[in-house]
Amino acid sequence: MRCAQAQSLLSGYLDEELAVREMRRLAAHLEECRSCEAELRALQQAKAFLGGLEAPRARSGFWSEAYEQLQRENVRPMPWWRKLSVAQRSAMALIPAVVTAALAFQLAFQPPATNSGAVDSMDDLIQAHLEAKSCQPLTDQSHIRMLLSAEEVDNGISE
Amino acid sequence: LLIAAFGLSTTACSPRRASKAPASVSSLSPEPKAAPATKPPSRTEIPARIKASPETRSAVAWLEKSRWAHEHLPFEGQELIVTWADGRSDSAMVRRSHDGAFERSDYVAPKNLAGHVYLTDQATTRIYNPTARRVVISPKKPHGPMNLSLLLRNYRVVLEPKPRYVADSLCRIVDLQPEDHGKPYHRLWLEKKTALILKQEHFHSDGSPSGLTQFTEIRIGHAIPASRFKLDLPPDARIVRNAPQRTGAAGLMPRTPPRLPAGYELQECRASPAGDGWHCIYSDGMDLLSVFVLHAERRDRLPSGEPVRIHGHDGILRVQSHQLIATWNDDKFRWALIGNVSRSLGLKIARAVASD
């Protein structure tokens, strides 16, 4: 594999978009070529830093403008809810809020989660497994991977 | 069936059961340092059935040297961590300092992890979250001795003939190729003079990558000031202590097999995270498998996943956080197997556990 080809594949290599065979060919090239390996390192660093940037937020009024533009471009019959009075629409708008509040109340005041209530969650078991792995020789970086995938455990007592 | 009493192990690496602990101050110092050992690495006995070529012997010697160096040589550097999961990659940049049993990692990037600190000594692990202004302190179980004999039974250890550069340092490469299909494959770059691991690549059994750590710069052998291993906290930081795992008998646990397919051997059993059963840990010398045996509370409904039959019981398979999970109910317990193995190997191991 030539350097130009290798460097065109680096981004795909980082994002795991290459075929396994292509990935292996590129890995073999990277082991022998210091300039491409340095390029990969630079790309990885850039990716790590870019990953930390926040996505830009839409300016205020963006969504209403976009909606109006869509309305202009695609005029359709008025939806049923637009025919309601302001009071009726306000009442309708409150329904999701009431439902959300009821769910939040239920979540907040239900008894502490029991195992039977968390049947679909394997998180605590996976966490325990990864913690055990982090104590293994030769794989002592696992704790860092844990931080990447999960926040630290906080079941203790605060001081 | 119930023959083994609980209590095989009394400590855990990072357990979660809480207890009250003395109030702390705004800076946390690690446990006192032990005197550095000067004993050279021990010689591993290579199992007789392995035809140990000079290359294998050499690779084993490199691993022994590496383990010793990691325990005794100070180093500081910047490390890149990349993980691949579910078709996407995550990266982090970490500033690492290491001095024997003391280790500190400061996250530099990405933004949501920047400022996190991981600090560990011989007895505890501290993780500081700057956003929550909280430090979680957990007891730590020190690394057990590296079981190279077990590793050699389960992996082909190959030393690449050509050295390569990592962080401007020449490295020898050791490949750890599993003897059994369905297990992960590992590649380690050992610095040529000291055998410190400067880069690791981990692959799933299908050849796809699962993770990479690589130093982008490193200084080896320089003294690191003790203050580096002290965690200075803001005055309003909250301290949370996770106490040692509960000990003592917790009833009888069902027998778990001492050996599983693909060379996994039982290392220890400890209390499960919620204290509702047991966590049995198996090792093949490099990777771990966990078998959880949980009491009836968890037996009502299986989690979502691919339905499978495991020795006459309904079960499911799913992949979560890079790990294959097989879980099933028998007449008394909920069982869960977790490990980085392929679907077919995971199912084979689960069936071996269930049939025992």
Side-chain angles (χ1 to χ4, degrees):
Chain A
M1 183 179 280
R2 294 185 178 193
C3 289
Q5 191 192 357
Q7 290 182 9
S8 71
L9 294 173
L10 290 178
S11 178
Y13 179 75
L14 273 181
D15 289 334
E16 204 195 349
E17 289 168 346
L18 305 182
V20 171
R21 194 176 158 198
E22 212 168 21
M23 190 91 80
R24 284 184 177 153
R25 281 183 60 215
L26 180 57
H29 177 81
L30 289 170
E31 283 169 11
E32 290 175 351
C33 178
R34 286 189 72 182
S35 68
C36 286
E37 197 261 334
E39 187 75 21
L40 176 70
R41 244 192 288 160
L43 199 61
Q44 285 169 330
Q45 290 188 27
K47 188 177 167 65
F49 282 99
L50 286 172
L53 297 178
E54 282 182 4
R57 292 190 176 183
R59 67 180 188 283
S60 65
F62 173 83
W63 291 112
S64 55
E65 285 171 29
Y67 179 74
E68 282 168 16
Q69 191 175 343
L70 282 173
Q71 285 288 88
R72 282 197 299 274
E73 290 175 6
N74 185 19
V75 179
R76 288 181 178 175
M78 186 182 282
W80 63 269
W81 52 270
R82 292 210 132 207
K83 295 171 188 167
L84 299 175
S85 70
V86 174
Q88 286 170 319
R89 280 160 67 179
S90 303
M92 292 283 290
L94 277 175
I95 291 173
V98 169
V99 171
T100 308
L103 281 173
F105 182 87
Q106 190 183 358
L107 284 172
F109 293 100
Q110 70 183 4
T114 60
N115 295 325
S116 57
V119 285
D120 206 33
S121 172
M122 307 291 285
D123 293 350
D124 58 339
L125 305 187
I126 291 170
Q127 187 79 15
H129 171 71
L130 293 175
E131 283 168 6
K133 276 187 86 161
S134 73
C135 296
Q136 283 290 292
L138 294 179
T139 54
D140 61 350
Q141 301 308 305
S142 303
H143 63 268
I144 300 173
R145 287 202 193 89
M146 283 163 59
L147 258 183
L148 285 173
S149 59
E151 189 54 87
E152 69 269 30
V153 182
D154 184 5
N155 290 345
I157 290 178
S158 287
E159 291 173 4
Chain B
L1 193 67
L2 303 173
I3 61 164
F6 173 67
L8 296 177
S9 172
T10 56
T11 57
C13 172
S14 186
R16 306 159 176 216
R17 307 309 300 169
S19 78
K20 288 186 178 177
S24 189
V25 291
S26 62
S27 75
L28 294 167
S29 300
E31 299 291 321
K33 270 187 184 184
T38 52
K39 199 180 159 193
S42 58
R43 183 66 60 87
T44 301
E45 199 173 314
I46 298 175
R49 71 172 185 82
I50 295 172
K51 285 182 183 171
S53 63
E55 290 76 22
T56 302
R57 290 188 189 283
S58 181
V60 171
W62 274 98
L63 288 178
E64 285 165 342
K65 193 176 167 189
S66 175
R67 177 70 179 144
W68 187 87
H70 188 78
E71 285 173 357
H72 300 110
L73 280 182
F75 63 85
E76 273 193 302
Q78 185 153 290
E79 193 175 37
L80 176 79
I81 302 143
V82 183
T83 61
W84 287 273
D86 307 322
R88 63 185 285 267
S89 64
D90 286 301
S91 319
M93 190 66 80
V94 175
R95 190 90 214 152
R96 275 185 74 195
S97 304
H98 181 99
D99 190 356
F102 296 82
E103 167 133 10
R104 177 175 177 143
S105 301
D106 291 73
Y107 285 72
V108 180
K111 199 170 181 178
N112 65 321
L113 285 177
H116 277 70
V117 180
Y118 178 97
L119 179 64
T120 181
D121 57 36
Q122 287 160 322
T124 56
T125 293
R126 297 141 208 261
I127 299 176
Y128 176 60
N129 179 335
T131 313
R133 289 181 170 267
R134 178 186 61 203
V135 60
V136 177
I137 305 175
S138 305
K140 179 192 169 209
K141 186 177 181 182
H143 286 174
M146 182 164 64
N147 192 339
L148 264 178
S149 298
L150 182 59
L151 188 147
L152 288 168
R153 283 201 294 276
N154 293 305
Y155 290 84
R156 284 189 298 280
V157 181
V158 180
L159 183 69
E160 292 274 315
K162 259 174 83 176
R164 313 275 183 191
Y165 279 95
V166 174
D168 293 326
S169 302
L170 261 185
C171 293
R172 298 305 304 263
I173 302 170
V174 174
D175 273 341
L176 298 169
Q177 303 163 356
E179 296 279 0
D180 293 273
H181 289 294
K183 287 164 69 169
Y185 159 91
H186 310 273
R187 195 157 224 230
L188 310 173
W189 278 252
L190 312 179
E191 202 267 329
K192 206 176 169 187
K193 287 180 194 152
T194 61
L196 277 174
I197 298 174
L198 300 195
K199 180 176 173 182
Q200 302 180 41
E201 279 185 351
H202 307 280
F203 299 88
H204 295 296
S205 56
D206 64 359
S208 61
S210 65
L212 170 149
T213 65
Q214 176 178 355
F215 278 98
T216 54
E217 56 182 70
I218 189 161
R219 289 197 324 153
I220 302 170
H222 294 74
I224 300 171
S227 59
R228 174 73 180 133
F229 300 107
K230 201 170 117 184
L231 188 58
D232 289 318
L233 299 173
D236 58 343
R238 194 162 63 95
I239 297 171
V240 176
R241 284 182 191 266
N242 290 330
Q245 190 112 17
R246 69 166 66 179
T247 59
L252 295 173
M253 66 172 284
R255 192 168 81 89
T256 48
R259 288 185 181 78
L260 292 173
Y264 290 98
E265 295 186 4
L266 181 62
Q267 305 295 302
E268 63 170 289
C269 286
R270 51 176 75 157
S272 65
D276 57 345
W278 303 274
H279 176 190
C280 296
I281 297 166
Y282 290 79
S283 171
D284 67 355
M286 182 70 192
D287 275 306
L288 288 188
L289 268 183
S290 289
V291 174
F292 293 90
V293 192
L294 306 173
H295 278 303
E297 289 76 22
R298 286 204 185 190
R299 291 182 56 250
D300 49 357
R301 187 161 57 86
L302 287 168
S304 56
E306 176 197 348
V308 287
R309 293 287 289 172
I310 297 174
H311 204 68
H313 305 295
D314 286 329
I316 63 101
L317 289 180
R318 65 193 272 180
V319 175
Q320 190 177 335
S321 300
H322 301 256
Q323 309 296 315
L324 183 94
I325 302 169
T327 184
W328 67 98
N329 293 333
D330 66 11
D331 298 336
K332 291 190 175 69
F333 298 100
R334 155 69 52 89
W335 296 76
L337 170 85
I338 301 180
N340 186 6
V341 292
S342 69
R343 179 194 176 282
S344 56
L345 180 58
L347 198 53
K348 184 179 172 186
I349 295 171
R351 285 174 175 152
V353 172
S355 65
D356 191 76

